[in-house]
Amino acid sequence: MDEFDFDTLAVRAGIERSQFNEHSEALYLTSSFVFKSAAQAAARFSGEEEGNVYARFSNPTVTAMQTRLAALEGAEACVATASGMSAILSLVMATLQAGDHIVASNGLFGATQQLLGGIMSKFGIETTFVPATDIAAYRAAVRPRTRLFFIETPSNPLTEVVDIAAVAAVAHEAGALLAVDNCFCTPALQRPLALGADVVVHSATKYLDGQGRVLGGAVAGARAVTDEVFKFLRTAGPTLSPFNAWVILKGLETLRVRMEAQSATALELARWLEQQPGVARVYYPGLPSHPQHELAMRQQKTGGAILAFDVEGGRDAAWRVVDATRMISITANLGDTKTTITHPATTTHGRVSAEARKAAGIGDGLLRVAVGLESIEDLKADLARGLAT
Ligand SMILES: *Cc1c(COP(=O)(O)O)cnc(C)c1O
C-alpha cells in the first residue's frame, strides 16, 4: 500500500477480505477466536504463530482501523484504544515509570491536564506545564528524568499553534519522546510524525468518526513506542470495541473531504465574524490576524474547523449569542458534521479558577464554535441573531 496517496489509503488501507469476498469492510463482533488444534492454540498463545486469540488485544476489524490510521499518519504502527483519554493513559503507562518527568504545553484538553498533572503524580510521574508557544520555556523545563513532551496543536479553545518541529528538536536534545495530540487537525490537515514527532495520539471520538457516534482513541508512531503501548493494552485492557473500530474505519474514508469542507466554512465564518460589530476578537489560525498564522500555514493544510471569538459585554452577551441560536447545537463536543457552540468559561473551563482562566486568556465573553457541514449562510444567520442584540 506504500505507493498510494492519502486519498487512496483512506478508503483502501487495511482491507483484508474474508472467504466471502465482501466489498465493504467486515465487522467481526467476536470476543474470541477458535483454533484448529491444541498445538495451534499453544502456538498462538506463545506468539510463535501470528493470528487472533482474544479481542482484548486483537480483532480483525480493530486491526483494519489501526492499519488505515497508521497509513494516514505515516506511522510504522498504531494501537487503537477505547477513547482518547485511554490512548493518552496507555502511552504514559507504557513509556514512563515512577520518577520520570513530562513537559506539557499549557491549554491541553481538560481531562489530559488532570491526568498528567493530577492522577499521574500519585504514581510518581510529575508534569511541568509551559506556555504553548514559548520554545525557550520547554527547554528550561527539562530535568534529568524528562522522558516525554506532550503537546496539542492548535490548542482549545484559543487555537494557539505550537511549533511541532521546534519542540521535537528540544525533546530529542533532552533524549525524550515528543507526543502530539492530533485530534483537532487529524492527519488530513497535519502530519506530526513528518515534522519530527515520535508519536501521535488521537481521540477518534472527534473527527475520525466525524459524526458523533462512538468513542475511540489511538496511539500511532514508531514501532518501538507502539509495541510498548500494545504490551500495556494487552494486559490492562483499555481496548477499542470492534463495533466502534468499524464506525471509525468507515469515518476515515471521508476524513479529508470533511476536514477540508469544514475548514473552508470555518474560514469564511471567521472572516465574517471579524467584520461583525460586537465581536472584539476572532481566534482562527487561518486568519492573517492570528499571531501564529504563518506557522499554522506551514504546519497545517488549512486553519482547521474550530474557531473562537470574544463577544463584547462579557458573559451575559456571550450567553445571549448562544441562546439566540436555533440550529447550532449547544454542546461542548466537537468534531461532528453538526456545528456546535460552547461558552468555555462556564462549561469546559468552569472548574478552572477565575484567575487561572484569565491568565490562560479565556475571557467571560469567549465563545468556541466547531464548524460542521451546514450551509455558511445558515450558520451566519444563526449567530447574527444573537450578535444583533
Ligand atoms: C476529546 C479530546 C480528548 C479525549 O478524548 P475522549 O475520546 O473523549 O476520551 C483528548 N484530546 C483532545 C484534544 C480532545 O478534544
Side-chain angles (χ1 to χ4, degrees):
M1 277 273 147
D2 284 354
E3 78 264 31
F4 291 120
D5 291 335
F6 188 95
D7 285 351
T8 306
L9 295 170
V11 295
R12 292 196 177 267
I15 293 177
E16 211 176 304
R17 297 206 166 96
S18 78
Q19 73 274 30
F20 299 115
N21 265 328
E22 65 283 348
H23 191 203
S24 179
E25 294 78 350
L27 166 51
Y28 293 94
L29 271 185
T30 181
S31 53
S32 66
F33 300 84
V34 295
F35 311 108
K36 289 198 183 92
S37 64
Q40 188 183 43
R44 287 271 176 95
F45 269 86
S46 71
E48 216 173 282
E49 180 183 307
E50 274 200 34
N52 296 296
V53 173
Y54 184 55
R56 186 184 332 110
F57 44 92
S58 80
N59 173 286
T61 310
V62 176
T63 302
M65 181 247 147
Q66 292 175 157
T67 304
R68 187 167 294 175
L69 183 57
L72 298 185
E73 285 287 2
E76 277 175 18
C78 172
V79 177
T81 57
S83 65
M85 288 320 302
S86 59
I88 298 169
L89 174 70
S90 300
L91 173 70
V92 170
M93 295 298 274
T95 57
L96 305 182
Q97 62 185 57
D100 287 346
H101 175 242
I102 303 171
V103 178
S105 57
N106 262 339
L108 293 175
F109 183 70
T112 310
Q113 285 181 49
Q114 286 155 27
L115 176 69
L116 300 184
I119 292 174
M120 292 323 298
S121 65
K122 280 206 309 192
F123 301 96
I125 294 170
E126 273 189 66
T127 301
T128 305
F129 293 96
V130 300
T133 60
D134 185 351
I135 299 304
Y138 288 89
R139 195 173 289 114
V142 171
R143 298 184 193 168
R145 297 258 328 243
T146 302
R147 297 278 186 265
L148 181 69
F149 282 60
F150 192 100
I151 61 174
E152 195 180 302
T153 179
S155 73
N156 175 22
L158 294 173
T159 74
E160 281 188 300
V161 178
V162 185
D163 189 332
I164 296 172
V167 178
V170 176
H172 296 157
E173 212 175 285
L177 297 172
L178 171 62
V180 178
D181 184 330
N182 203 24
C183 177
F184 282 9
C185 275
T186 82
L189 304 183
Q190 170 172 281
R191 304 229 291 171
L193 301 175
L195 296 166
D198 301 283
V199 60
V200 165
V201 297
H202 270 290
S203 169
T205 315
K206 311 294 167 52
Y207 293 104
L208 303 189
D209 166 12
Q211 293 162 71
R213 297 164 294 193
V214 299
L215 271 96
V219 180
R223 195 175 293 281
V225 178
T226 59
D227 278 354
E228 292 305 311
V229 173
F230 177 72
K231 280 186 219 159
F232 172 77
L233 173 125
R234 178 185 181 118
T235 306
T239 309
L240 182 65
S241 96
F243 180 80
N244 290 10
W246 182 81
V247 171
I248 295 161
L249 181 64
K250 300 304 281 180
L252 289 176
E253 294 185 2
T254 55
L255 178 65
R256 186 191 60 78
V257 178
R258 284 185 283 109
M259 292 311 290
E260 288 188 4
Q262 291 177 222
S263 298
T265 305
L267 175 59
E268 201 173 334
L269 194 65
R271 285 186 180 137
W272 175 81
L273 281 166
E274 270 194 324
Q275 306 303 317
Q276 301 311 300
V279 174
R281 183 172 168 190
V282 180
Y283 305 81
Y284 181 68
L287 289 175
S289 61
H290 189 282
Q292 294 108 31
H293 175 65
E294 214 181 300
L295 168 64
M297 293 301 95
R298 215 172 342 115
Q299 186 167 282
Q300 310 172 193
K301 209 163 162 188
T302 71
I306 296 167
L307 59 85
F309 58 102
D310 277 316
V311 178
E312 280 163 14
R315 196 196 86 162
D316 291 351
W319 277 23
R320 274 200 298 277
V321 173
V322 173
D323 290 338
T325 59
R326 291 178 195 157
M327 179 267 287
I328 296 174
S329 312
I330 306 171
T331 171
N333 197 24
L334 58 92
D336 202 306
T337 51
K338 297 175 178 68
T339 298
T340 65
I341 190 165
T342 188
H343 181 243
T346 51
T347 58
T348 52
H349 293 69
R351 280 189 289 174
V352 179
S353 73
E355 303 87 73
R357 249 195 335 262
K358 209 166 183 190
I362 297 164
D364 289 340
L366 186 76
L367 291 173
R368 187 199 71 197
V369 175
V371 178
L373 282 177
E374 301 96 335
S375 115
I376 179 69
E377 296 310 324
D378 290 338
L379 290 169
K380 286 182 196 168
D382 218 29
L383 292 172
R385 209 175 300 112
L387 288 170
T389 65

